[in-house]
mmCIF file of all heavy atoms in Angstrom:
data_model
loop_
_atom_site.group_PDB
_atom_site.id
_atom_site.type_symbol
_atom_site.label_atom_id
_atom_site.label_comp_id
_atom_site.label_asym_id
_atom_site.label_seq_id
_atom_site.Cartn_x
_atom_site.Cartn_y
_atom_site.Cartn_z
ATOM 1 N N ASP A 1193 -30.318 116.910 228.559
ATOM 2 C CA ASP A 1193 -29.491 117.135 229.730
ATOM 3 C C ASP A 1193 -28.060 117.233 229.228
ATOM 4 O O ASP A 1193 -27.434 116.221 228.917
ATOM 5 C CB ASP A 1193 -29.646 115.997 230.736
ATOM 6 C CG ASP A 1193 -28.901 116.246 232.028
ATOM 7 O OD1 ASP A 1193 -27.906 116.993 232.028
ATOM 8 O OD2 ASP A 1193 -29.314 115.684 233.065
ATOM 9 N N ASN A 1194 -27.544 118.451 229.127
ATOM 10 C CA ASN A 1194 -26.217 118.655 228.551
ATOM 11 C C ASN A 1194 -25.090 118.183 229.462
ATOM 12 O O ASN A 1194 -23.975 117.963 228.999
ATOM 13 C CB ASN A 1194 -26.025 120.126 228.189
ATOM 14 C CG ASN A 1194 -26.799 120.534 226.955
ATOM 15 O OD1 ASN A 1194 -27.438 119.697 226.302
ATOM 16 N ND2 ASN A 1194 -26.753 121.821 226.627
ATOM 17 N N ILE A 1195 -25.374 118.039 230.749
ATOM 18 C CA ILE A 1195 -24.373 117.500 231.665
ATOM 19 C C ILE A 1195 -24.191 116.011 231.419
ATOM 20 O O ILE A 1195 -23.081 115.489 231.434
ATOM 21 C CB ILE A 1195 -24.755 117.765 233.127
ATOM 22 C CG1 ILE A 1195 -24.907 119.262 233.386
ATOM 23 C CG2 ILE A 1195 -23.712 117.160 234.059
ATOM 24 C CD1 ILE A 1195 -23.658 120.062 233.094
ATOM 25 N N LYS A 1196 -25.298 115.323 231.178
ATOM 26 C CA LYS A 1196 -25.269 113.889 230.905
ATOM 27 C C LYS A 1196 -25.094 113.563 229.431
ATOM 28 O O LYS A 1196 -25.003 112.390 229.064
ATOM 29 C CB LYS A 1196 -26.549 113.226 231.407
ATOM 30 C CG LYS A 1196 -26.730 113.284 232.912
ATOM 31 C CD LYS A 1196 -28.009 112.567 233.324
ATOM 32 C CE LYS A 1196 -28.174 112.570 234.830
ATOM 33 N NZ LYS A 1196 -29.429 111.876 235.244
ATOM 34 N N ASN A 1197 -25.068 114.590 228.573
ATOM 35 C CA ASN A 1197 -24.954 114.388 227.123
ATOM 36 C C ASN A 1197 -26.055 113.455 226.612
ATOM 37 O O ASN A 1197 -25.796 112.513 225.850
ATOM 38 C CB ASN A 1197 -23.585 113.831 226.751
ATOM 39 C CG ASN A 1197 -22.503 114.884 226.729
ATOM 40 O OD1 ASN A 1197 -22.764 116.074 226.931
ATOM 41 N ND2 ASN A 1197 -21.270 114.468 226.484
ATOM 42 N N THR A 1198 -27.268 113.735 227.015
ATOM 43 C CA THR A 1198 -28.391 112.871 226.678
ATOM 44 C C THR A 1198 -29.598 113.697 226.237
ATOM 45 O O THR A 1198 -29.894 114.740 226.828
ATOM 46 C CB THR A 1198 -28.785 111.991 227.869
ATOM 47 O OG1 THR A 1198 -27.654 111.222 228.294
ATOM 48 C CG2 THR A 1198 -29.908 111.038 227.495
ATOM 49 N N VAL A 1199 -30.287 113.224 225.205
ATOM 50 C CA VAL A 1199 -31.532 113.820 224.759
ATOM 51 C C VAL A 1199 -32.637 112.779 224.911
ATOM 52 O O VAL A 1199 -32.402 111.579 224.716
ATOM 53 C CB VAL A 1199 -31.432 114.335 223.303
ATOM 54 C CG1 VAL A 1199 -31.137 113.202 222.334
ATOM 55 C CG2 VAL A 1199 -32.697 115.085 222.908
ATOM 56 N N TYR A 1200 -33.842 113.231 225.259
ATOM 57 C CA TYR A 1200 -34.945 112.338 225.545
ATOM 58 C C TYR A 1200 -36.143 112.653 224.658
ATOM 59 O O TYR A 1200 -36.331 113.775 224.208
ATOM 60 C CB TYR A 1200 -35.389 112.466 227.002
ATOM 61 C CG TYR A 1200 -34.288 112.279 228.008
ATOM 62 C CD1 TYR A 1200 -33.593 113.374 228.510
ATOM 63 C CD2 TYR A 1200 -33.947 111.009 228.453
ATOM 64 C CE1 TYR A 1200 -32.582 113.203 229.440
ATOM 65 C CE2 TYR A 1200 -32.934 110.836 229.379
ATOM 66 C CZ TYR A 1200 -32.255 111.936 229.873
ATOM 67 O OH TYR A 1200 -31.254 111.760 230.789
ATOM 68 N N LEU A 1201 -36.966 111.639 224.444
ATOM 69 C CA LEU A 1201 -38.249 111.820 223.787
ATOM 70 C C LEU A 1201 -39.300 111.067 224.586
ATOM 71 O O LEU A 1201 -39.308 109.837 224.614
ATOM 72 C CB LEU A 1201 -38.224 111.313 222.339
ATOM 73 C CG LEU A 1201 -39.530 111.510 221.564
ATOM 74 C CD1 LEU A 1201 -39.773 113.000 221.297
ATOM 75 C CD2 LEU A 1201 -39.510 110.736 220.245
ATOM 76 N N GLN A 1202 -40.163 111.808 225.262
ATOM 77 C CA GLN A 1202 -41.277 111.231 225.995
ATOM 78 C C GLN A 1202 -42.479 111.162 225.068
ATOM 79 O O GLN A 1202 -42.903 112.184 224.521
ATOM 80 C CB GLN A 1202 -41.612 112.073 227.224
ATOM 81 C CG GLN A 1202 -42.825 111.613 228.010
ATOM 82 C CD GLN A 1202 -42.593 110.316 228.741
ATOM 83 O OE1 GLN A 1202 -41.525 110.109 229.318
ATOM 84 N NE2 GLN A 1202 -43.573 109.430 228.722
ATOM 85 N N MET A 1203 -43.023 109.969 224.863
ATOM 86 C CA MET A 1203 -44.165 109.766 223.993
ATOM 87 C C MET A 1203 -45.334 109.234 224.808
ATOM 88 O O MET A 1203 -45.225 108.191 225.454
ATOM 89 C CB MET A 1203 -43.838 108.791 222.865
ATOM 90 C CG MET A 1203 -42.806 109.308 221.872
ATOM 91 S SD MET A 1203 -43.546 110.458 220.670
ATOM 92 C CE MET A 1203 -44.539 109.321 219.693
ATOM 93 N N ASN A 1204 -46.446 109.946 224.767
ATOM 94 C CA ASN A 1204 -47.662 109.550 225.468
ATOM 95 C C ASN A 1204 -48.783 109.287 224.474
ATOM 96 O O ASN A 1204 -48.709 109.680 223.315
ATOM 97 C CB ASN A 1204 -48.093 110.640 226.447
ATOM 98 C CG ASN A 1204 -47.045 110.958 227.484
ATOM 99 O OD1 ASN A 1204 -46.347 110.068 227.973
ATOM 100 N ND2 ASN A 1204 -46.936 112.230 227.854
ATOM 101 N N SER A 1205 -49.831 108.636 224.954
ATOM 102 C CA SER A 1205 -51.005 108.342 224.117
ATOM 103 C C SER A 1205 -50.592 107.733 222.785
ATOM 104 O O SER A 1205 -51.041 108.159 221.719
ATOM 105 C CB SER A 1205 -51.832 109.613 223.898
ATOM 106 O OG SER A 1205 -52.267 110.160 225.125
ATOM 107 N N LEU A 1206 -49.754 106.737 222.847
ATOM 108 C CA LEU A 1206 -49.193 106.137 221.638
ATOM 109 C C LEU A 1206 -50.270 105.478 220.786
ATOM 110 O O LEU A 1206 -51.228 104.896 221.297
ATOM 111 C CB LEU A 1206 -48.115 105.129 222.004
ATOM 112 C CG LEU A 1206 -46.788 105.745 222.445
ATOM 113 C CD1 LEU A 1206 -45.944 104.731 223.193
ATOM 114 C CD2 LEU A 1206 -46.032 106.290 221.241
ATOM 115 N N LYS A 1207 -50.078 105.572 219.474
ATOM 116 C CA LYS A 1207 -50.984 105.018 218.488
ATOM 117 C C LYS A 1207 -50.251 103.989 217.636
ATOM 118 O O LYS A 1207 -49.031 104.055 217.508
ATOM 119 C CB LYS A 1207 -51.535 106.127 217.581
ATOM 120 C CG LYS A 1207 -52.167 107.290 218.318
ATOM 121 C CD LYS A 1207 -52.522 108.408 217.350
ATOM 122 C CE LYS A 1207 -53.124 109.595 218.066
ATOM 123 N NZ LYS A 1207 -53.448 110.697 217.120
ATOM 124 N N PRO A 1208 -50.968 103.040 217.030
ATOM 125 C CA PRO A 1208 -50.310 102.068 216.152
ATOM 126 C C PRO A 1208 -49.486 102.728 215.047
ATOM 127 O O PRO A 1208 -48.445 102.187 214.662
ATOM 128 C CB PRO A 1208 -51.477 101.272 215.570
ATOM 129 C CG PRO A 1208 -52.518 101.324 216.638
ATOM 130 C CD PRO A 1208 -52.399 102.711 217.222
ATOM 131 N N GLU A 1209 -49.914 103.872 214.551
ATOM 132 C CA GLU A 1209 -49.176 104.561 213.510
ATOM 133 C C GLU A 1209 -47.858 105.166 213.994
ATOM 134 O O GLU A 1209 -47.067 105.661 213.191
ATOM 135 C CB GLU A 1209 -50.030 105.651 212.843
ATOM 136 C CG GLU A 1209 -50.702 106.588 213.828
ATOM 137 C CD GLU A 1209 -52.141 106.212 214.103
ATOM 138 O OE1 GLU A 1209 -52.404 105.013 214.326
ATOM 139 O OE2 GLU A 1209 -53.007 107.113 214.087
ATOM 140 N N ASP A 1210 -47.613 105.130 215.299
ATOM 141 C CA ASP A 1210 -46.328 105.551 215.842
ATOM 142 C C ASP A 1210 -45.269 104.459 215.718
ATOM 143 O O ASP A 1210 -44.094 104.707 216.005
ATOM 144 C CB ASP A 1210 -46.459 105.951 217.310
ATOM 145 C CG ASP A 1210 -47.294 107.202 217.502
ATOM 146 O OD1 ASP A 1210 -47.162 108.142 216.704
ATOM 147 O OD2 ASP A 1210 -48.084 107.236 218.479
ATOM 148 N N THR A 1211 -45.674 103.270 215.323
ATOM 149 C CA THR A 1211 -44.746 102.153 215.182
ATOM 150 C C THR A 1211 -43.682 102.466 214.139
ATOM 151 O O THR A 1211 -43.999 102.780 212.987
ATOM 152 C CB THR A 1211 -45.492 100.872 214.796
ATOM 153 O OG1 THR A 1211 -46.389 100.503 215.851
ATOM 154 C CG2 THR A 1211 -44.518 99.732 214.553
ATOM 155 N N ALA A 1212 -42.421 102.384 214.540
ATOM 156 C CA ALA A 1212 -41.307 102.711 213.654
ATOM 157 C C ALA A 1212 -40.003 102.501 214.404
ATOM 158 O O ALA A 1212 -39.993 102.286 215.615
ATOM 159 C CB ALA A 1212 -41.399 104.160 213.169
ATOM 160 N N VAL A 1213 -38.905 102.575 213.665
ATOM 161 C CA VAL A 1213 -37.598 102.682 214.285
ATOM 162 C C VAL A 1213 -37.342 104.168 214.530
ATOM 163 O O VAL A 1213 -37.460 104.978 213.612
ATOM 164 C CB VAL A 1213 -36.488 102.086 213.402
ATOM 165 C CG1 VAL A 1213 -35.121 102.302 214.038
ATOM 166 C CG2 VAL A 1213 -36.737 100.600 213.169
ATOM 167 N N TYR A 1214 -36.993 104.511 215.753
ATOM 168 C CA TYR A 1214 -36.759 105.900 216.119
ATOM 169 C C TYR A 1214 -35.267 106.179 216.200
ATOM 170 O O TYR A 1214 -34.519 105.445 216.840
ATOM 171 C CB TYR A 1214 -37.424 106.218 217.459
ATOM 172 C CG TYR A 1214 -38.917 106.420 217.332
ATOM 173 C CD1 TYR A 1214 -39.754 105.348 217.038
ATOM 174 C CD2 TYR A 1214 -39.489 107.681 217.487
ATOM 175 C CE1 TYR A 1214 -41.114 105.523 216.899
ATOM 176 C CE2 TYR A 1214 -40.851 107.862 217.355
ATOM 177 C CZ TYR A 1214 -41.664 106.784 217.062
ATOM 178 O OH TYR A 1214 -43.024 106.960 216.925
ATOM 179 N N TYR A 1215 -34.850 107.250 215.549
ATOM 180 C CA TYR A 1215 -33.451 107.634 215.489
ATOM 181 C C TYR A 1215 -33.238 109.001 216.116
ATOM 182 O O TYR A 1215 -34.041 109.911 215.918
ATOM 183 C CB TYR A 1215 -32.970 107.718 214.036
ATOM 184 C CG TYR A 1215 -33.065 106.436 213.251
ATOM 185 C CD1 TYR A 1215 -34.218 106.120 212.547
ATOM 186 C CD2 TYR A 1215 -31.993 105.563 213.193
ATOM 187 C CE1 TYR A 1215 -34.309 104.952 211.813
ATOM 188 C CE2 TYR A 1215 -32.068 104.393 212.459
ATOM 189 C CZ TYR A 1215 -33.225 104.092 211.766
ATOM 190 O OH TYR A 1215 -33.303 102.935 211.034
ATOM 191 N N CYS A 1216 -32.161 109.160 216.849
ATOM 192 C CA CYS A 1216 -31.740 110.492 217.259
ATOM 193 C C CYS A 1216 -30.609 110.938 216.344
ATOM 194 O O CYS A 1216 -29.907 110.117 215.748
ATOM 195 C CB CYS A 1216 -31.304 110.539 218.722
ATOM 196 S SG CYS A 1216 -29.780 109.664 219.117
ATOM 197 N N ALA A 1217 -30.445 112.244 216.201
ATOM 198 C CA ALA A 1217 -29.450 112.781 215.290
ATOM 199 C C ALA A 1217 -28.987 114.159 215.742
ATOM 200 O O ALA A 1217 -29.707 114.868 216.447
ATOM 201 C CB ALA A 1217 -30.020 112.861 213.873
ATOM 202 N N ARG A 1218 -27.783 114.524 215.313
ATOM 203 C CA ARG A 1218 -27.230 115.838 215.604
ATOM 204 C C ARG A 1218 -27.461 116.768 214.433
ATOM 205 O O ARG A 1218 -27.172 116.412 213.286
ATOM 206 C CB ARG A 1218 -25.729 115.745 215.890
ATOM 207 C CG ARG A 1218 -25.138 117.043 216.412
ATOM 208 C CD ARG A 1218 -23.634 116.958 216.554
ATOM 209 N NE ARG A 1218 -22.958 117.125 215.277
ATOM 210 C CZ ARG A 1218 -21.629 117.194 215.132
ATOM 211 N NH1 ARG A 1218 -20.845 117.087 216.206
ATOM 212 N NH2 ARG A 1218 -21.099 117.342 213.938
ATOM 213 N N SER A 1219 -27.961 117.962 214.703
ATOM 214 C CA SER A 1219 -28.271 118.920 213.663
ATOM 215 C C SER A 1219 -27.040 119.703 213.238
ATOM 216 O O SER A 1219 -26.191 120.042 214.062
ATOM 217 C CB SER A 1219 -29.344 119.893 214.137
ATOM 218 O OG SER A 1219 -29.602 120.887 213.157
ATOM 219 N N SER A 1220 -26.972 119.998 211.945
ATOM 220 C CA SER A 1220 -25.942 120.884 211.411
ATOM 221 C C SER A 1220 -26.518 122.244 211.053
ATOM 222 O O SER A 1220 -25.828 123.078 210.469
ATOM 223 C CB SER A 1220 -25.290 120.256 210.175
ATOM 224 O OG SER A 1220 -26.244 120.023 209.155
ATOM 225 N N GLY A 1221 -27.769 122.492 211.425
ATOM 226 C CA GLY A 1221 -28.433 123.736 211.086
ATOM 227 C C GLY A 1221 -29.427 124.180 212.141
ATOM 228 O O GLY A 1221 -29.197 124.006 213.339
ATOM 229 N N SER A 1222 -30.547 124.720 211.673
ATOM 230 C CA SER A 1222 -31.564 125.275 212.552
ATOM 231 C C SER A 1222 -32.412 124.186 213.201
ATOM 232 O O SER A 1222 -32.669 123.139 212.609
ATOM 233 C CB SER A 1222 -32.464 126.226 211.758
ATOM 234 O OG SER A 1222 -33.588 126.623 212.513
ATOM 235 N N VAL A 1223 -32.877 124.453 214.404
ATOM 236 C CA VAL A 1223 -33.776 123.549 215.106
ATOM 237 C C VAL A 1223 -35.102 123.413 214.361
ATOM 238 O O VAL A 1223 -35.820 122.424 214.538
ATOM 239 C CB VAL A 1223 -34.005 124.032 216.554
ATOM 240 C CG1 VAL A 1223 -34.805 125.329 216.574
ATOM 241 C CG2 VAL A 1223 -34.688 122.960 217.386
ATOM 242 N N TYR A 1224 -35.419 124.371 213.511
ATOM 243 C CA TYR A 1224 -36.680 124.363 212.772
ATOM 244 C C TYR A 1224 -36.575 123.716 211.397
ATOM 245 O O TYR A 1224 -37.575 123.619 210.683
ATOM 246 C CB TYR A 1224 -37.217 125.790 212.628
ATOM 247 C CG TYR A 1224 -37.415 126.473 213.961
ATOM 248 C CD1 TYR A 1224 -36.592 127.520 214.364
ATOM 249 C CD2 TYR A 1224 -38.421 126.058 214.823
ATOM 250 C CE1 TYR A 1224 -36.768 128.127 215.593
ATOM 251 C CE2 TYR A 1224 -38.604 126.661 216.050
ATOM 252 C CZ TYR A 1224 -37.773 127.702 216.430
ATOM 253 O OH TYR A 1224 -37.957 128.303 217.653
ATOM 254 N N ASP A 1225 -35.395 123.270 211.012
ATOM 255 C CA ASP A 1225 -35.204 122.569 209.751
ATOM 256 C C ASP A 1225 -35.509 121.093 209.964
ATOM 257 O O ASP A 1225 -34.785 120.400 210.673
ATOM 258 C CB ASP A 1225 -33.774 122.761 209.250
ATOM 259 C CG ASP A 1225 -33.571 122.275 207.828
ATOM 260 O OD1 ASP A 1225 -34.385 121.470 207.337
ATOM 261 O OD2 ASP A 1225 -32.591 122.701 207.205
ATOM 262 N N THR A 1226 -36.576 120.601 209.355
ATOM 263 C CA THR A 1226 -37.045 119.235 209.567
ATOM 264 C C THR A 1226 -36.477 118.221 208.584
ATOM 265 O O THR A 1226 -36.810 117.036 208.675
ATOM 266 C CB THR A 1226 -38.577 119.178 209.488
ATOM 267 O OG1 THR A 1226 -39.001 119.518 208.166
ATOM 268 C CG2 THR A 1226 -39.206 120.143 210.479
ATOM 269 N N SER A 1227 -35.640 118.645 207.671
ATOM 270 C CA SER A 1227 -35.129 117.756 206.640
ATOM 271 C C SER A 1227 -34.030 116.841 207.178
ATOM 272 O O SER A 1227 -33.252 117.223 208.053
ATOM 273 C CB SER A 1227 -34.616 118.548 205.443
ATOM 274 O OG SER A 1227 -33.501 119.342 205.799
ATOM 275 N N VAL A 1228 -33.963 115.643 206.621
ATOM 276 C CA VAL A 1228 -32.935 114.680 206.992
ATOM 277 C C VAL A 1228 -31.542 115.236 206.720
ATOM 278 O O VAL A 1228 -30.604 115.001 207.488
ATOM 279 C CB VAL A 1228 -33.141 113.351 206.239
ATOM 280 C CG1 VAL A 1228 -31.954 112.428 206.429
ATOM 281 C CG2 VAL A 1228 -34.426 112.673 206.708
#
């Protein structure tokens, strides 16, 4: 939501392997670049 300056991640059917610290970040490149 660019008006609220907020990005969301909806996670369903969660699995134990989803356990982690989740970080949001701003990209300096392509949306398809998955590298840190």
Side-chain angles (χ1 to χ4, degrees):
D1193 185 334
N1194 286 356
I1195 301 301
K1196 295 182 178 180
N1197 281 356
T1198 303
V1199 62
Y1200 306 94
L1201 182 69
Q1202 176 70 41
M1203 294 280 289
N1204 301 322
S1205 301
L1206 285 162
K1207 307 173 181 179
E1209 50 262 46
D1210 293 320
T1211 296
V1213 176
Y1214 282 69
Y1215 300 89
C1216 69
R1218 189 186 79 175
S1219 177
S1220 60
S1222 171
V1223 68
Y1224 303 110
D1225 190 340
T1226 65
S1227 65
V1228 170

